[in-house]
């Protein structure tokens, strides 16, 4: 039966305590060479990675750039100095999108890692090390996981080498896991993936151990706090093993680990769930090039080898091969049929490709190990079957040693011992040769072939990406222009005051280091000048309105969010939108955009940054920047007319966005703010209403406006006039001295003062408090469980 063919080897036997005993191992040196070879191979993978990454780059204090990574650089810095230092896991950031909840809809653990490393290194170096920690630990995580699956040292070491090949894979560049994706900004994914395998391995070494169950849950929790997809993958693996093994200790061990993971992460999970409807969907398009994505050219040879490895795993009852074969099959099916929601189908490709590489390692071993048998058969010699099953399983360890001893004691034929020894030697030689060959292939793909090498191979892009990222902004041709622009914005902030800046987008800004280079405005200006555009598009409900503005105020916009009513360049309308969102500065460089901006009466030219022309000029660097102040764009202002409540609209973005867009695209409606669930005495209108005027309020003045990262305070002269606060709405904001805040179109807040001094501040919600309580209690229970002096060992279930 198939189930029997996939059954795992016997669990490592336990003694009287929880942890597995080493009896029989410490006194046996029969497999010591295998262990040494495995560890040497592991160390070699680290040396190879370090060579590829250039230690002088990793430990140079430059500002990391490249893709999303170039913007992530400022996020961790803000997190460390504004949220983590107040002992909060998540919080509010005013840096992007007129404010957004930082790490409520994204993953906080990499920021914590950076904070820890910052104790020992300068922040620039600490951030670099954070971006590579997942990459450098993945071969070790795969090795440990293979060992926990009762795979022998040799195949475990080979699996770590295949993990190295996976890291340098170029069949995808953004979905996560491989180096290309990590350099593009998915380093959270790589950290999570490595932690997922460590967490699984900790449990699977001995699922009966309470300590291992608890510790596995902790590590899996860190995986979840790094990225949700690898953590979900880990849970799926445990479910697979529960069904496959059908053993009580595996079922209960997996259940405890998953429960601990969920409980520890409650501090992050519960606010995420409670506020998820406020996140923004970017409308990602699913990948439909199924054949190209699942069978890319450079992966086809490995796919053939993987098929061999999968079949061999079924025949030889290699459980890890059956596991990764199942992962590959289900990943491919999911990629084709996954319904497009918040996660697009390309996100399963990292697991599919990793499974292909691991299975290919098994396939290569099987093929190479079978060659001597093939030649012997052709020569008509009588030989024993290959020793691959032993090389791949824990039969390489004490089980194999015992079987070998029995063979010696029960046979007078020295040939038996010689054949067994030859199998072991062949297995070691095969492992080393395959490891060297795979490493050579990876090195050639990454660096190209030297002039003397007979096979000519052009270098891949991974090496150039590594250099691009870690030489930093400082090493780019556009850095003089970029530095001049940032210095000018510091001066503008000091002269005209702090506020938000909208900058014209163009992909040629990659000459600064990344098209997202100007997202670092808050970092360079010490949070005086914030950027309207940033990462974490999904985290802010203001994101759609920014991309509409970008389309109106850029000659070559990205139009990144799908499904919006883009109308093309329209500077006058774009300026009105900037005023509506309380944007203080507008930065333009395209001649046509600057011409329109110069003619707009609501824009005041306050500074210019001359063009910079390096030897290889580009459209961005060869144009000067104009910096404008947006007039009549206060962040806090009294309403002039009575607002109205929207009928039939709920807080969820899917319900709110259509109504808000109807308002946003019609400036004639701006005098009458639309509220969600405002005071009941206000009139109500339909979402599509064209109401443009109501009863006017009396005169009022707002003064003494003070803004911090997570609060806004001000004074009013007339407490009967509501006040519009042009900060992104989020339920965690609470008001003192006023009713509200109430969500207002397009995604702002309105308060109804009850005193002359009003303050709104970002505070814990019920979900935050409940999550903190559950996580704190869980950590206490886990700590007590790990420290308890006496433990129990459940009776081993009979088969």
């Amino acid at each position: 039966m198939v189930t029997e063919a996939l059954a795992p080897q016997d669990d490592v036997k336990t003694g009287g305590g929880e942890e597995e005993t080493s009896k029989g191992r410490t006194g046996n040196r029969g497999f010591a060479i295998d262990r040494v070879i495995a560890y040497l191979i592991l160390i070699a993978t680290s040396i190879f990675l370090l060579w590829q990454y250039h230690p002088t780059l990793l430990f140079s204090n430059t500002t990391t750039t490249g893709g999303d990574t170039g913007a992530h650089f400022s996020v961790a810095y803000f997190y460390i100095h504004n949220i983590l230092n107040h002992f909060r896991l998540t919080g509010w950031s005013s840096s992007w999108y007129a404010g957004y909840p930082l790490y409520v809809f994204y993953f906080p653990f990499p920021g914590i890692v950076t904070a820890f490393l910052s104790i020992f290194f300068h922040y620039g170096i600490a951030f670099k090390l954070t971006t590579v920690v997942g990459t450098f630990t993945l071969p070790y995580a795969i090795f440990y996981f293979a060992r926990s699956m009762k795979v022998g040292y040799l195949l475990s070491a080979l699996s770590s080498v295949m993990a190295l090949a996976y890291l340098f894979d170029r069949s995808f560049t953004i979905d996560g896991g491989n180096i290309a994706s990590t350099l593009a900004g998915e380093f959270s994914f790589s950290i999570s993936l490595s932690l997922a395998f460590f967490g699984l391995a900790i449990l699977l070494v001995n699922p009966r151990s309470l300590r291992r169950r608890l510790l596995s849950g902790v590590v899996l929790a860190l995986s979840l706090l790094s990225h949700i997809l690898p953590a979900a993958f880990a849970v799926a693996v445990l479910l697979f093993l529960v069904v496959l093994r059908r053993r009580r200790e595996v079922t209960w061990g997996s259940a405890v680990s998953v429960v601990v993971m969920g409980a520890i992460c409650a501090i992050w999970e519960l606010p995420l769930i409670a506020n998820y409807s406020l996140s923004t969907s970017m409308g990602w398009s699913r990948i439909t090039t199924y054949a190209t994505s699942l069978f890319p050219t450079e992966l086809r040879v490995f796919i053939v080898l993987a098929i061999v490895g999968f079949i061999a795993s079924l025949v030889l009852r290699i459980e890890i091969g059956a596991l990764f074969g199942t992962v590959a099959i289900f990943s491919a099916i999911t990629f084709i049929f996954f319904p497009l929601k918040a996660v697009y189908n390309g996100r399963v490709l990292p697991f599919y490709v990793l499974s292909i590489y691991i299975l290919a390692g098994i396939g290569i071993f099987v093929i190479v190990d079978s060659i001597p048998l093939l030649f012997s058969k052709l020569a008509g010699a009588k030989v024993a079957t290959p020793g691959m099953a032993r090389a791949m399983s824990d039969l390489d360890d004490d089980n194999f040693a015992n079987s070998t001893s029995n063979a010696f004691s029960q046979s007078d034929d020295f040939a038996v011992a010689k054949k067994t020894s030859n199998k072991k030697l062949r297995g070691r030689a095969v492992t080393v040769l395959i490891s060297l060959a795979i490493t050579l292939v990876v090195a050639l793909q990454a660096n190209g072939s030297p002039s003397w090498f007979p096979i000519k191979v052009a270098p891949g892009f991974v090496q150039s990406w590594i250099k691009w990222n870690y030489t930093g902004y400082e090493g780019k041709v556009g850095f003089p222009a970029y530095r001049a622009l940032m210095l000018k914005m510091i001066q503008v902030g000091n002269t005209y005051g702090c506020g938000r800046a909208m900058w014209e987008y163009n992909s040629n800004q990659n000459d600064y280091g990344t098209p997202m280079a100007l997202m670092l405005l808050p970092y360079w200006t010490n949070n005086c000048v914030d950027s309207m555009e940033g990462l974490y598009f999904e985290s802010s409900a203001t994101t759609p309105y920014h991309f509409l503005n970008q389309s109106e105020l850029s000659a070559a916009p990205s139009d990144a969010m799908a499904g919006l009513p883009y109308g093309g360049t329209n500077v006058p309308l774009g300026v009105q939108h900037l005023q509506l969102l309380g944007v203080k500065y507008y930065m333009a460089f395209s001649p046509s955009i600057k011409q329109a901006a110069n003619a707009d009466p609501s824009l005041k030219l306050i500074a210019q940054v001359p063009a910079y022309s390096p030897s290889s000029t580009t459209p961005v660097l060869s144009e000067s920047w104009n910096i404008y102040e947006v007039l009549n764009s206060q962040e806090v202002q009294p309403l002039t007319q009575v607002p109205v409540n929207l009928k039939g609209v709920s807080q969820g973005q899917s319900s709110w966005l259509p109504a808000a867009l109807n308002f946003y695209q019609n400036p004639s409606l701006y005098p009458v703010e639309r509220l969600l669930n405002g005071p009941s005495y206000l009139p109500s209108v339909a979402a599509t209403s064209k109401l443009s005027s109501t009863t006017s309020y009396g005169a009022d003045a707002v003064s003494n406006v003070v803004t911090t990262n997570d609060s806004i305070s001000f004074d009013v002269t007339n407490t009967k006039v509501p006040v519009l606060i042009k900060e992104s709405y989020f339920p965690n904001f609470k008001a003192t001295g006023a009713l509200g805040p109430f969500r207002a179109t397009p995604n702002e807040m309105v308060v109804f003062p009850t005193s002359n001094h009003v303050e709104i501040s970002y505070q814990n919600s019920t979900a935050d408090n409940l999550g903190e309580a559950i996580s704190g209690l869980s950590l206490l229970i886990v700590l007590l469980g790990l420290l308890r002096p006496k433990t129990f060992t459940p009776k081993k279930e009979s088969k």
Side-chain angles (χ1 to χ4, degrees):
M1 295 176 63
V2 175
T3 304
E4 293 175 349
L6 293 176
Q9 301 293 326
D10 286 347
D11 288 346
V12 178
K13 292 180 172 59
T14 57
E18 285 190 319
E19 301 304 323
E20 65 276 10
T21 178
S22 58
K23 184 180 180 180
R25 290 175 180 263
T26 54
N28 171 33
R29 306 301 179 191
F31 66 104
I33 297 177
D34 294 352
R35 184 185 298 179
V36 170
I37 290 173
Y39 291 157
L40 288 176
I41 289 174
L42 270 177
I43 294 171
T45 62
S46 297
I47 294 173
F48 181 83
L49 282 169
L50 199 60
W51 169 46
Q52 296 299 308
Y53 269 87
H54 306 285
T56 55
L57 291 180
L58 285 180
F59 290 94
S60 61
N61 188 24
T62 57
T63 310
T64 307
T65 186
D68 289 358
T69 306
H72 276 291
F73 183 88
S74 69
V75 179
Y77 187 85
F78 179 92
Y79 180 63
I80 293 169
H81 293 88
N82 294 277
I83 297 177
L84 202 58
N85 62 336
H86 294 295
F87 303 101
R88 292 185 60 99
L89 185 68
T90 63
W92 188 256
S93 171
S94 58
S95 298
W96 296 332
Y97 298 116
Y100 71 104
L102 179 58
Y103 290 150
V104 171
F105 299 114
Y106 203 68
F107 314 104
F109 185 63
I112 297 174
V113 173
T114 306
F116 174 76
L117 293 174
S118 296
I119 300 173
F120 309 100
F121 303 98
H122 188 281
Y123 173 77
I125 299 174
F127 179 79
K128 288 181 178 181
L129 295 178
T130 300
T131 64
V132 302
V133 65
T135 297
F136 274 74
T137 56
L138 184 63
Y140 290 85
I142 296 293
F143 174 84
Y144 187 28
F145 176 71
R147 290 291 297 140
S148 74
M149 293 282 287
K150 310 300 178 283
V151 173
Y153 278 104
L154 296 180
L155 187 60
S156 297
L158 182 57
S159 297
S160 71
V161 176
M162 298 311 296
L164 184 70
Y166 163 76
L167 288 172
F168 284 88
D169 178 82
R170 297 170 297 176
S171 61
F172 62 94
T173 59
I174 193 60
D175 301 311
N178 60 1
I179 292 176
S181 298
T182 302
L183 292 170
E186 287 290 339
F187 56 89
S188 291
F189 189 105
S190 65
I191 294 173
S192 178
L193 185 63
S194 186
L195 286 169
F197 279 110
F198 277 124
L200 288 170
I202 290 170
L203 173 67
L204 294 177
V205 165
N206 182 12
R208 300 185 187 91
S209 166
L210 177 61
R211 284 194 175 94
R212 286 190 171 274
R213 293 174 178 180
L214 296 176
L215 187 57
S216 171
V218 172
V219 176
L220 290 179
L222 297 180
S223 175
L224 178 56
L225 291 173
S226 298
H227 204 288
I228 194 170
L229 294 180
F233 164 78
V235 174
V237 169
L238 290 178
L239 181 61
F240 173 87
L241 294 176
V242 166
V243 173
L244 183 66
R245 293 184 178 180
R246 292 177 294 177
R247 294 182 179 180
R248 183 179 303 168
E249 62 270 20
V250 176
T251 301
W252 282 106
S254 300
V256 171
S257 294
V258 172
V259 169
V260 169
M261 174 185 72
I264 290 177
C265 292
I267 188 175
W268 176 77
E269 291 168 334
L270 294 187
L272 169 67
I273 295 170
N275 297 299
Y276 186 74
S277 65
L278 282 165
S279 63
T280 293
S281 172
M282 294 296 289
W284 304 117
S285 300
R286 68 181 296 110
I287 301 173
T288 57
T289 53
Y290 304 123
T292 303
S293 300
L294 293 175
F295 305 100
T297 302
E298 69 175 45
L299 203 61
R300 289 173 186 172
V301 173
F302 289 100
I303 290 174
V304 173
L305 295 170
I307 294 173
V308 175
F310 186 39
I311 294 173
S313 297
L314 298 180
V315 173
L316 299 174
R317 300 169 62 181
I318 305 169
E319 190 179 47
I320 192 172
L323 168 63
F324 280 109
T326 304
V327 170
I329 293 170
F330 273 90
S331 296
I333 294 172
T334 302
F335 177 73
I336 297 173
F337 297 106
F338 190 80
L340 185 62
K341 296 292 184 182
V343 180
Y344 79 109
N345 61 334
R347 281 300 202 175
V348 302
L349 288 176
F351 307 108
Y352 167 79
V353 174
L354 176 60
S355 299
I356 293 299
Y357 278 104
I358 300 299
L359 288 169
I362 298 174
I364 295 171
F365 194 101
V366 168
I367 293 171
V368 175
D369 191 67
S370 300
I371 290 176
L373 174 64
L374 177 62
F375 279 101
S376 298
K377 290 288 187 182
L378 292 175
K382 294 182 178 181
V383 295
T385 56
M388 64 185 76
R390 291 191 175 100
M392 293 176 177
S393 72
D394 260 346
L395 292 176
D396 269 344
D397 301 347
D398 48 348
N399 293 333
F400 178 72
N402 293 336
S403 64
T404 304
S405 299
N406 292 336
F408 277 122
S409 62
Q410 296 173 12
S411 175
D412 295 328
D413 188 358
F414 182 73
V416 173
K418 185 176 180 181
K419 289 177 182 178
T420 302
S421 177
N422 287 341
K423 294 173 189 175
K424 292 288 291 180
L425 290 174
R426 189 168 74 242
R428 292 164 185 160
V430 166
T431 304
V432 172
L433 289 175
I434 294 175
S435 299
L436 290 174
I438 295 297
T439 305
L440 176 62
V441 170
V442 172
L444 289 174
Q445 288 181 336
N447 302 279
S449 56
S451 57
W452 51 266
F453 197 75
I455 303 175
K456 302 304 176 184
V457 180
F461 61 82
V462 173
Q463 260 292 325
S464 63
W465 280 23
I466 290 173
K467 293 179 181 178
W468 180 272
N469 278 34
Y470 298 121
T471 52
Y473 287 93
E474 295 83 352
K476 304 300 173 284
V477 65
F479 183 68
Y482 180 66
R483 182 175 184 273
L485 182 59
M486 294 300 106
L487 290 174
K488 180 60 69 175
M489 292 309 297
I490 293 173
Q491 180 184 342
V492 165
N494 292 335
T495 303
Y496 296 92
C498 298
R500 301 168 191 145
M502 174 75 196
W503 41 274
E504 182 186 354
Y505 177 88
N506 191 295
S507 61
N508 284 321
Q509 287 163 10
N510 193 57
D511 290 314
Y512 294 149
T514 170
M516 302 177 180
L518 270 66
M519 292 181 186
L520 266 66
L521 272 168
Y523 174 78
W524 296 116
T525 63
N526 195 27
N527 289 111
C528 178
V529 179
D530 295 320
S531 168
M532 279 302 293
E533 184 164 352
L535 296 180
Y536 309 145
F537 312 122
E538 295 91 345
S539 293
S540 176
T542 303
T543 300
Y545 317 110
H546 162 73
F547 281 107
L548 286 171
N549 296 355
Q550 184 202 82
S551 181
E552 294 158 353
L553 295 167
S554 302
S558 65
D559 293 347
M561 183 174 173
L564 295 180
Y566 296 112
T569 303
N570 189 336
V571 172
L573 179 59
V575 172
Q576 284 185 282
H577 285 159
L578 296 184
Q579 292 170 323
L580 187 62
L581 295 178
V583 178
K584 189 175 182 64
Y585 302 111
Y586 172 53
M587 305 161 63
F589 64 86
S590 297
S592 60
I593 299 294
K594 288 190 292 186
Q595 182 179 3
N598 290 336
D600 195 296
S602 295
L603 294 178
K604 176 185 176 181
L605 181 64
I606 57 176
Q608 290 182 299
V609 178
Y612 172 75
S613 298
S615 55
S616 55
T617 58
T618 66
V620 170
L621 299 179
S622 60
E623 298 290 347
S624 62
W625 282 91
N626 279 10
I627 302 167
Y628 302 89
E629 182 181 13
V630 182
L631 305 179
N632 303 314
S633 184
Q634 301 84 2
E635 287 190 35
V636 181
Q637 66 183 54
L639 295 183
T640 59
Q641 297 189 40
V642 174
V644 296
N645 284 323
L646 286 172
K647 291 190 299 185
V649 177
S650 63
Q651 180 170 268
Q653 189 75 332
S654 60
S655 175
W656 174 265
L657 182 58
L661 284 175
N662 176 67
F663 173 86
Y664 196 70
Q665 294 299 87
N666 293 277
S668 63
L669 306 183
Y670 293 174
V672 181
E673 274 291 341
R674 273 72 168 162
L675 306 183
L676 179 67
N677 300 325
S680 59
Y681 59 80
L682 295 177
S684 299
V685 300
T688 56
S689 170
K690 299 299 182 182
L691 180 68
S692 60
S693 66
T694 57
T695 305
S696 297
Y697 281 114
D700 185 25
V702 172
S703 59
N704 300 324
V705 178
V706 177
T707 62
T708 67
N709 171 61
D710 56 4
S711 69
I712 300 174
S713 64
F714 53 90
D715 296 330
V716 298
T717 58
N718 187 348
T719 59
K720 296 181 180 181
V721 178
V723 177
L724 175 65
I725 302 170
K726 298 176 182 179
E727 185 87 1
S728 293
Y729 169 81
F730 201 69
N732 284 59
F733 277 100
K734 308 299 178 184
T736 56
L739 297 177
F742 301 98
R743 191 177 192 182
T745 47
N747 185 52
E748 299 173 332
M749 292 180 279
V750 165
V751 295
F752 291 75
T754 57
S755 70
N756 295 107
H757 182 74
V758 178
E759 180 177 359
I760 66 166
S761 58
Y762 187 90
Q763 301 175 17
N764 268 12
S765 65
T766 301
D768 289 310
N769 291 329
L770 182 60
E772 287 179 2
I774 294 175
S775 294
L777 180 62
S778 302
L779 285 172
L780 179 61
I781 293 173
V782 167
L783 182 62
L784 293 175
L786 292 175
L787 295 178
R788 62 183 299 188
K790 294 182 180 181
T791 59
F792 69 94
T793 303
K795 293 182 179 179
K796 184 176 180 181
E797 184 178 317
S798 59
K799 297 182 181 179

